[in-house]
Amino acid sequence: MARRASGGTSGTGVKRARRPEVRLPALEPYGGGELEPDGDYDGVEFRAADLAGQDGAGARFMDCALTECALDGTALTRARVLDSVLTGVRGVGTDLADATLRDVELVDARLGGTQLHGAVLERVLIRGGKIDFLNLRQARLRDVVFQSCVLVEPDFGGARLERVEFVDCTLKAADLTAATLTDVDLRDAAELGIAAGVDRLSGAVISAAQLLDLAPVLAGQLGIRVEG
């Protein structure tokens, strides 16, 4: 079971995210076969499993490890992933809409077009890897850390972010339209690019250098003409 990491407050008063500390028990190797909708997987190790195109909608993964698994087009809508570690997973079009991820570590993933709209993420660490076109519209993120990863055109439209940190993370053309941010720390992002919704940065903390980088976007949002 994961041990809950304690939170804290940074020097600027922003509340820090509580990170998961997942301690997996002895695991049973996955026996193969197809994932089952509403299946129950407890203490299972999925290693180099090809789960592409399979239907695990509504399934529960508790104390599991998924290592180097293929998730192309895998249907995991409404799935619950709890106290688990996913390492080196890869796939395009993985569907986790309305899923719950709690006390989860996602390490060195290579994903594209992952659907997490309407999902709930709580105490989640996403470290390393690259995720293109991540759909987090209307999702709820609490105590989530993006660390040393690359996010290309992530969509946070209408999402609620609370105690979320971007640490050495490259953020390219993020969409924050209608998002709500509370205690979101962007200061340590390696690159901060916002394509839409810059007006939703209230509730976030950024560095002085990032403010200068965002000045043209802010000026455009406010209708300010900059000449000379």
Side-chain angles (χ1 to χ4, degrees):
M1 297 289 290
R3 186 179 67 197
R4 309 305 189 244
S6 59
T9 304
S10 72
T12 60
V14 63
K15 294 179 181 177
R16 302 192 67 86
R18 295 179 296 165
R19 298 185 179 217
E21 295 182 10
V22 183
R23 306 274 180 91
L24 292 176
L27 302 177
E28 293 289 334
Y30 179 53
E34 297 277 324
L35 292 175
E36 297 181 4
D38 300 314
D40 196 355
Y41 304 94
D42 195 340
V44 178
E45 180 182 30
F46 298 80
R47 181 171 292 274
D50 185 357
L51 306 177
Q54 297 188 23
D55 186 359
R60 172 181 173 270
F61 299 85
M62 177 79 174
D63 289 327
C64 288
L66 282 75
T67 305
E68 304 293 338
C69 294
L71 299 175
D72 297 273
T74 306
L76 293 168
T77 54
R78 299 175 286 99
R80 290 175 293 159
V81 185
L82 313 170
D83 302 295
S84 296
V85 179
L86 290 73
T87 305
V89 296
R90 62 194 184 280
V92 175
T94 309
D95 193 349
L96 283 153
D98 298 315
T100 297
L101 280 66
R102 183 177 299 119
D103 293 300
V104 169
E105 296 182 10
L106 177 62
V107 182
D108 294 333
R110 302 286 295 188
L111 299 170
T114 302
Q115 302 298 312
L116 274 163
H117 53 85
V120 176
L121 285 69
E122 186 170 358
R123 292 186 299 275
V124 173
L125 171 64
I126 299 174
R127 178 165 55 85
K130 182 182 181 184
I131 306 178
D132 297 322
F133 313 113
L134 177 62
N135 184 353
L136 282 162
R137 296 183 68 84
Q138 304 296 327
R140 289 181 290 161
L141 289 72
R142 176 181 292 176
D143 294 311
V144 176
V145 178
F146 296 92
Q147 181 175 337
S148 303
C149 57
V150 177
L151 303 178
V152 178
E153 296 188 32
D155 189 348
F156 295 97
R160 294 166 54 191
L161 287 70
E162 181 179 356
R163 294 193 300 273
V164 176
E165 298 177 20
F166 296 84
V167 182
D168 193 31
C169 174
T170 297
L171 202 60
K172 294 178 178 287
D175 188 344
L176 297 174
T177 303
T180 302
L181 279 58
T182 304
D183 291 313
V184 173
D185 196 340
L186 293 158
R187 291 171 297 173
D188 293 326
E191 179 181 332
L192 178 58
I194 299 177
V198 69
D199 58 314
R200 309 301 295 185
L201 283 174
S202 175
V205 57
I206 63 175
S207 69
Q210 289 169 334
L211 177 59
L212 291 175
D213 290 340
L214 289 173
V217 183
L218 287 166
Q221 178 69 41
L222 295 173
I224 300 172
R225 294 172 54 191
V226 181
E227 300 179 358

